[in-house]
Amino acid sequence: MNSWEFLGTEPTSDQGAIKRAYARLLKTYHPEDDPEGFQRLREAYEHALREAKFLQEAAASGDAAGSVFVLDPEEEAAPAAEAVWTGVREQGPREGEALEAGVPEQAGERLASRSFSAGKEPATPEELAEHFISQVTVLYADFPSRIDREKWVALLEKEEYWQLEVKQRTNKEMLTFLMEKYHLPRQIWRLLNDYFFWTDQEMELSQEFPENFIRFVINQIKKPWELRYEFLKKDEDSDYEYDDFIDCREHAFRAMLDNELEEAEKYLAIASNMFTEDPDLLRMIGHFYLRKDDLENAFHAFYRLTEVLPEEIDGYIHRANILRKIGKYEEAQEDYQHVLSLSPDNELALSGLARCYVSLGKLTEARAVLKRILVQCPYDIDVQVRLLALNGLLADQLQEELQEAPDDHERRFCLASVCFDLERYEECVESLDRIQRAIPLTVDMELLWGRALIKQEQTEEGLAHLDKALELARQAGDSEWAILLERGTTYVESNQYEAAIEDLTAAMELMPNHPEILHQLAEAYRCQKEYKRCVELSDQAISLNPTRWIYYSTRGLAHYWLNHYKESRDDHQIVINHEYNFSGAWHRKAYSHFRLGEYDRAIEGFHESERWGDNELSFYFIAICHFKLGDYENALGAIEYYKESHENDPDAYLVMGDVYRGMGDEEQAREVYCSGAAQFPDNQDLVKMAVYSLLKENAQTRAIPYLKQLLLGEDYREWAATSLLNISIQQGEWEEAVAIADNFRNVVPKEQWDPTLLFYAGYVHYRLERYQIAALYLEQAYRLKADGDTCSYLSMVYFDLGRMEEAAAFAKKALEAVPGNAEYQRRYEGIVSQSKKGLFGLFRKKQSSQALWPSSLPFVWHQELEEVPDIHYWQGEE
């Protein structure tokens, strides 16, 4: 492994990236815990630095390009903002104190006061740490430098400060410094954390420093918001201190968070007297006056904010809201439209603009804006309600206007569209039909007519109008994607999936980044069981619009059928967050938890599925989950509840028997299995468990009918035939055993023969002195399983057939398989001895092997060796 691989980074000329990789790995290869690993890390680090210098020089000369690593840490979710740490001193002025009041000598100033001898460079770790803090102090004292990230980077990446002992000392010294000098922008806090890794040491640091201080540090690093520093500046006539202003602004912000308006007012007044151009302060002042319901002063604050930061929209939004509240709708409209010119999809501006249009009587324009919002947020209930009310008003207005101008086809089409939104589909069709009698219909009119008919379940008629709309669009050279989307969606809903895929694919070619097209196409592929393609398309739709829960539902279903249970679980959680009473989503989420072994969460989900939809399988799976958790009492209760309403489900008996078996109640388990097997003789798992439980209690005779039932199936017929043979042998019913063996041989293909069953069959024929047939069975058993018993009995069959060489050879193989076996040894010696008797092989021997070497069936009950699951359960949907 080379140095770059060890450090986990690509070759680069960026020494900062190398140092960060080194610092990250120090946690793994700590010198005290892993000295050898630390040595390898140090060597890799130094080698990488040497190569980085070479890359830099090569890049400068044009021979190579250095790879640049840009540090841009992700925003991390932070808890609710907590009070700024005040463990060392109060932030900002106390009541009655002037801002110029002195403060205690600062830790950094004490360190900065230490000086080094002229010309003497710091050498020891202690000196280097002191030198580091002295430079930090200088950097912090100059406000423009304090907020300059590049200057901090230059300091932190100096080679001498990366020695392990130096870094350990500077870590503590830096925190000590920050206990009193903590006014830093968020980006600097995060940069320091990249160097010192404070967020990874929270517990350890809390033991050395005040716990509330460490919480403050972590919050400064993680918080997603901040009061900005880059706008702070002092006028020539201003004599305020930056830190005093920041303290006051911070106090005001905390007071606003706690809704302590009197406290906030005091600090806002002090801060605004120092510096009036800070946009974050102006925003706070505006919000303060809004809470006081002082719209005039709030307006002036937000107006000033738009002058200070004309490229940001916050001031315009609030200014427009105030203008709308005081009835200046046209001026508010201008501000909202300005915001939309900067941020076209801003929902606040769109919502405010719609309200202005309504107040100005521009109902059609208001409707267009509200529909635009719903394209972005289809499930915004407030907007849906507003649009519904607006459509009612607009319908009445249009009907009145059409009484005076019945031939105004534009208004009538608008009325048809409004009626469609109001789900008054018959009126919509009537309006369109009236237009058709007067003028040729446009693309939009045919499209609307088709949609209205489809909503009335007149699918064929609706599709005909969509076909006309598509034809008109092609003739006019208009865009076809909206019509293809509508027709493709209709095909999906009417189970015409191939036609749907054709239309939606064509629509996607025209609009490749339209999430609804991608979703409907994904749904069509899902219905065709092409789940991987469905997931691909759903991923694209969600990346374009992550707010629509239905997209996650389609993808979650595809993951579910692909057995991607983690992904299915996560997608269905999003669905439930939006549609809490969706029983099917609860069931699939619960089943995904179940397959992931998350049984507690699965139980919760199955209960919710039952609650919202009476899902018939809920209590079946609840019983399995309780069993898996070892909670047999609740498992029994759940399966009994399930069985009451599913008397015709053999699985209820199977699981109930398993639960009793898990509880150690073998007798009750046996009775449940046998009862279920008698009622459902075609359920082979249930019949097998009945046999298993009976044979376990040596109730062979009672097991025979169930074993014969298993012979009729395919899943366990070898097991059943072997068990029946064993019982027949034990009971001395040799002809019955022969019938079982011969029947099995005739029914089951040769390649599926079971060696144990073949051995038993050979043993039966051997006992009946049918040596030729016995040899056939035992030879086949030997080819499948060359164990000692098979070899030994085959040797006796050959002995009785007079095939002495083969008899001796297999007797020897048996002894080699199990050395020291007394019966094998006796048979081998006897066969060898008989082989030496002259012409013995030419004549019938006087005694058989059974007389010479009597034996009993050597096998133990094979049923006891047969593995059965702890619990049987359904593991997949059809």
Side-chain angles (χ1 to χ4, degrees), residues 61-217:
S61 63
D63 294 336
S67 172
V68 180
F69 178 84
V70 180
L71 184 63
D72 184 18
E74 288 185 10
E75 293 276 321
E76 295 182 350
E82 57 185 75
V84 173
W85 179 72
T86 56
V88 176
R89 66 182 179 93
E90 284 290 321
Q91 299 176 41
R94 295 194 181 104
E95 189 169 348
E97 290 182 339
L99 285 174
E100 294 81 9
V103 295
E105 183 186 13
Q106 308 297 310
E109 292 167 353
R110 289 195 298 271
L111 288 166
S113 66
R114 303 175 186 174
S115 59
F116 297 96
S117 302
K120 180 183 177 183
E121 290 294 326
T124 68
E126 294 88 346
E127 290 175 337
L128 284 166
E130 289 183 8
H131 190 250
F132 176 85
I133 294 299
S134 69
Q135 293 186 74
V136 167
T137 303
V138 171
L139 199 58
Y140 189 92
D142 179 56
F143 190 81
S145 298
R146 185 197 307 183
I147 64 175
D148 188 336
R149 186 178 185 278
E150 294 306 314
K151 292 190 176 181
W152 285 94
V153 169
L155 172 61
L156 294 172
E157 291 190 351
K158 287 185 177 179
E159 181 73 23
E160 58 267 28
Y161 300 137
W162 278 77
Q163 300 175 41
L164 181 62
E165 190 175 348
V166 174
K167 192 168 186 181
Q168 289 173 336
R169 289 178 177 275
T170 54
N171 183 19
K172 294 180 181 179
E173 295 282 10
M174 189 70 210
L175 286 169
T176 301
F177 178 89
L178 290 170
M179 289 177 74
E180 298 182 358
K181 303 280 191 177
Y182 47 81
H183 290 316
L184 292 169
R186 181 179 55 184
Q187 65 165 348
I188 305 302
W189 281 104
R190 291 183 173 180
L191 181 63
L192 292 170
N193 185 60
D194 290 337
Y195 181 79
F196 290 112
F197 298 99
W198 291 327
T199 51
D200 295 335
Q201 308 171 55
E202 185 173 355
M203 292 185 64
E204 297 92 329
L205 293 175
S206 295
Q207 296 174 359
E208 296 188 50
F209 293 88
E211 188 175 345
N212 57 347
F213 168 64
I214 296 303
R215 280 202 305 270
F216 165 75
V217 170

Side-chain angles (χ1 to χ4, degrees), residues 55 106 114 185 289 296 339 368 493 530 606 648 655 660 681 856:
L55 289 172
Q106 308 297 310
R114 303 175 186 174
Y289 282 121
E296 183 177 356
V339 171
E493 292 170 351
E530 295 187 40
F606 285 125
N648 294 323
V655 172
Y660 277 122
S856 59

Side-chain angles (χ1 to χ4, degrees), residues 375-376 378-379 516 519 542 545-552 578:
V375 170
Q376 299 172 208
Y379 304 104
E516 191 62 21
H519 163 66
I542 290 168
N545 185 359
T547 65
R548 292 209 60 187
W549 69 264
I550 195 68
Y551 297 174
Y552 297 92
H578 290 82

Side-chain angles (χ1 to χ4, degrees), residues 206-448:
S206 295
Q207 296 174 359
E208 296 188 50
F209 293 88
E211 188 175 345
N212 57 347
F213 168 64
I214 296 303
R215 280 202 305 270
F216 165 75
V217 170
I218 300 302
N219 187 54
Q220 294 300 105
I221 295 164
K222 288 187 174 183
K223 65 183 181 182
W225 53 268
E226 70 170 339
L227 297 176
R228 294 170 290 185
Y229 284 61
E230 62 266 30
F231 300 106
L232 303 187
K233 60 182 180 180
K234 288 193 285 189
D235 299 328
E236 293 182 2
D237 298 332
S238 175
D239 59 354
Y240 81 88
E241 294 296 328
Y242 288 104
D243 289 331
D244 292 334
F245 174 80
I246 294 169
D247 271 335
C248 283
R249 186 179 66 170
E250 190 74 31
H251 269 296
F253 179 74
R254 301 297 172 181
M256 289 285 289
L257 283 179
D258 296 333
N259 206 33
E260 296 176 353
L261 297 185
E262 290 185 8
E263 187 79 359
E265 184 175 20
K266 177 175 66 175
Y267 286 110
L268 288 172
I270 297 171
S272 61
N273 284 332
M274 296 183 197
F275 178 50
T276 59
E277 302 297 297
D278 176 47
D280 291 337
L281 179 64
L282 287 167
R283 185 176 290 103
M284 275 194 281
I285 292 171
H287 281 288
F288 169 79
Y289 282 121
L290 284 178
R291 293 192 194 181
K292 300 282 285 185
D293 203 27
D294 184 345
L295 298 183
E296 183 177 356
N297 277 316
F299 178 82
H300 289 305
F302 289 120
Y303 189 92
R304 183 65 186 132
L305 178 59
T306 63
E307 292 181 325
V308 171
L309 277 183
E311 68 277 9
E312 291 190 5
I313 64 175
D314 193 38
Y316 294 101
I317 288 282
H318 287 292
R319 193 173 76 178
N321 288 342
I322 294 170
L323 288 168
R324 182 173 53 79
K325 285 181 180 180
I326 63 177
K328 297 186 176 182
Y329 303 116
E330 292 181 348
E331 293 177 49
Q333 176 185 325
E334 290 179 9
D335 269 353
Y336 287 131
Q337 288 173 330
H338 177 72
V339 171
L340 292 171
S341 70
L342 299 173
S343 176
D345 296 325
N346 188 282
E347 189 179 344
L348 291 173
L350 288 169
S351 179
L353 181 59
R355 293 184 188 279
C356 286
Y357 281 143
V358 171
S359 298
L360 292 168
K362 300 177 179 180
L363 301 187
T364 303
E365 291 87 341
R367 177 173 176 268
V369 173
L370 290 177
K371 288 176 77 69
R372 182 174 164 187
I373 297 174
L374 284 177
V375 170
Q376 299 172 208
C377 308
Y379 304 104
D380 189 323
I381 300 299
D382 177 61
V383 175
Q384 289 177 355
V385 171
R386 287 171 60 190
L387 182 58
L388 183 63
L390 178 62
N391 278 328
L393 293 173
L394 186 55
D396 293 341
Q397 176 181 304
L398 289 168
Q399 285 171 341
E400 290 179 6
E401 292 173 349
L402 283 169
Q403 287 179 355
E404 297 179 3
D407 294 330
D408 190 332
H409 304 305
E410 185 177 341
R411 275 193 174 85
R412 194 169 298 282
F413 176 56
C414 185
L415 176 61
S417 179
V418 170
C419 287
F420 182 90
D421 287 349
L422 291 170
E423 300 182 8
R424 288 153 48 177
Y425 303 121
E426 290 185 8
E427 293 180 50
C428 173
V429 170
E430 288 173 5
S431 293
L432 291 167
D433 185 49
R434 185 162 178 175
I435 295 171
Q436 180 186 234
R437 294 187 208 128
I439 61 171
L441 296 185
T442 65
V443 171
D444 291 337
M445 292 172 181
E446 290 285 6
L447 177 58
L448 182 62

